[in-house]
Amino acid sequence: MEARRGLFLLMIFMMIKGKGEAQLMEIFYSSSSPGVEAIVKQAVSAKFSQKFTTIPATLRLFFHDCFVMGCDASIMVSSPNGDAEKDAPDNLSLAGDGFDTIVKAKEAVEAQCPNAVSCADIMAIVSRDVAVLAGGPSFSVELGRRDGLISQSSLVAGNLPEPHLTLAQLDTIFAKNNLSQIDTIALSGAHTVGFSHCNRFANRLYSFSPSSPVDPSLDPNYAKQLMNACPQNVDPSIALNMDPTTPQIFDNGMFTSDEVLCNDPASKPTVTDFANSPGDFNAAFITTMRKLGRAGVKTGNQGGIRIDCTNLD
Ligand SMILES: *[C@@H]1O[C@H](CO)[C@@H](O)[C@H](O)[C@H]1NC(C)=O
Ligand SMILES: *[C@@H]1O[C@H](CO)[C@@H](O)[C@H](O)[C@H]1NC(C)=O
């Protein structure tokens, strides 16, 4: 009886879902390329061991991609004419390390599962992996995105949050991507309150190797900033601003003005809650990342699968 009822509900569900509209799902590659997440993780770890900026650069790249024409890896495309999405003034100086991480992960995946995994899905997996490397929570990534076939700088304007927006303006831009104010705060919080705790990389600043206490792959100026933010033998839970280009500033990049979020009475209680309760923040961050990863996705037979993420042909 129960089984028949289950079957009936499943049929109703499939009728509603029907119409060939494909959905994202965590098991999307489990038969075609079961190793994809392990391959990506390995590539991300390798890149991270060379460059700390891998973390903020990649998160920011994913965010920008999703907010312009959906999470379809169109931000990755290079244009000989300088008019691709990544060339728009609003790209807010996306760091090359973000691009490089995606390219390397995709190359590693292509070597083992050719022509099966979209760049858009690689971006989503990489974003989860860097969040974990930064001390954030892990979560399952929904997959099955297809890559966009268009990348134009003219489509960027107005879609990304800019510094100095009011809370209402921020809400509007995020709402276009089905994200709430809490999601906005969770994404912003990833920068400051969320993760990136000093003890995660103190060894790279103070005890990397006997001959070189500071990890030589770190830019010396950046290493100095990190040391100031994370003095030796101090409370290991001190959170650190992950953005090396704009220390102490929350905006400019993935995140927009934190001042608005911290000061507006409407958003302030959530900011305070996230700052005081890592559990609340982590739960919200997971929900938000999964929602962000659904923004404007192409699935089924829409879009395509790019072999070289930077090339539309
Ligand atoms: C971002 O835009 C600036 C100014 O338009 C440009 O100089 C820069 O090369 C772009 N960055 C990337 C990574 O494409
Ligand atoms: C927001 O959600 C609605 C309803 O599920 C969906 O039709 C729309 O495509 C979504 N928008 C984006 C940008 O994902």
Side-chain angles (χ1 to χ4, degrees):
M1 194 61 203
E2 268 309 297
R4 281 184 59 182
R5 189 156 161 264
L7 189 62
F8 175 71
L9 287 175
L10 183 67
M11 280 169 63
I12 297 280
F13 178 75
M14 286 168 72
M15 279 160 67
I16 295 168
K17 283 288 158 204
K19 302 181 189 152
E21 198 180 298
Q23 294 265 306
L24 297 181
M25 45 189 176
E26 289 161 16
I27 57 162
F28 191 80
Y29 297 110
S30 62
S31 55
S32 66
S33 333
V36 61
E37 295 193 45
I39 300 167
V40 169
K41 186 174 180 193
Q42 162 92 46
V44 172
S45 303
K47 173 75 189 173
F48 176 70
S49 70
Q50 294 159 358
K51 280 294 208 52
F52 177 80
T53 45
T54 300
I55 294 173
T58 321
L59 279 174
R60 198 182 305 157
L61 196 62
F62 182 58
F63 174 80
H64 281 221
D65 184 49
C66 294
F67 266 43
V68 181
M69 308 266 302
C71 309
D72 66 352
S74 48
I75 189 90
M76 293 298 299
V77 173
S78 321
S79 153
N81 310 320
D83 60 0
E85 197 171 303
K86 81 181 191 99
D87 299 307
D90 274 353
N91 73 24
L92 300 169
S93 58
L94 293 167
D97 286 324
F99 288 93
D100 192 45
T101 309
I102 306 300
V103 167
K104 292 219 162 86
K106 173 66 165 171
E107 281 169 3
V109 168
E110 280 300 310
Q112 296 194 41
C113 338
N115 207 3
V117 182
S118 66
C119 298
D121 277 344
I122 301 237
M123 291 187 77
I125 299 170
V126 169
S127 300
R128 184 268 317 273
D129 289 351
V130 296
V132 171
L133 282 172
S138 192
F139 54 95
S140 311
V141 178
E142 294 175 318
L143 300 166
R145 295 170 194 76
R146 305 269 291 176
D147 295 330
L149 305 176
I150 300 174
S151 175
Q152 274 168 22
S153 66
S154 59
L155 298 171
V156 174
N159 286 311
L160 290 171
E162 287 167 32
H164 317 304
L165 293 187
T166 64
L167 188 61
Q169 289 168 321
L170 266 182
D171 284 350
T172 304
I173 290 193
F174 278 75
K176 277 204 274 183
N177 296 287
N178 291 335
L179 295 172
S180 67
Q181 190 178 91
I182 291 177
D183 296 318
T184 312
I185 298 167
L187 280 174
S188 307
H191 230 204
T192 48
V193 301
F195 30 79
S196 194
H197 296 281
C198 293
N199 60 354
R200 286 261 159 183
F201 50 87
N203 65 327
R204 299 184 65 191
L205 299 174
Y206 300 109
S207 50
F208 187 71
S209 73
S211 58
S212 165
V214 183
D215 180 345
S217 72
L218 288 174
D219 171 77
N221 286 326
Y222 180 43
K224 209 173 280 172
Q225 284 176 26
L226 291 177
M227 286 167 154
N228 286 335
C230 293
Q232 209 164 6
N233 304 325
V234 102
D235 178 359
S237 68
I238 291 179
L240 172 90
N241 189 312
M242 291 199 300
D243 186 343
T245 58
T246 56
Q248 317 312 328
I249 302 175
F250 211 72
D251 67 359
N252 191 6
M254 171 159 171
F255 316 95
T256 188
S257 173
D258 75 315
E259 269 176 51
V260 169
L261 295 172
C262 294
N263 297 335
D264 195 296
S267 48
K268 196 173 174 180
T270 309
V271 174
T272 309
D273 172 44
F274 286 174
N276 293 332
S277 166
D280 286 358
F281 169 74
N282 284 348
F285 181 74
I286 291 172
T287 303
T288 300
M289 286 296 282
R290 286 166 62 97
K291 280 167 79 177
L292 174 64
R294 290 176 206 141
V297 289
K298 297 159 181 73
T299 54
N301 54 12
Q302 299 169 312
I305 293 198
R306 268 180 258 141
I307 311 279
D308 170 355
C309 296
T310 67
N311 195 336
L312 280 182
D313 315 314

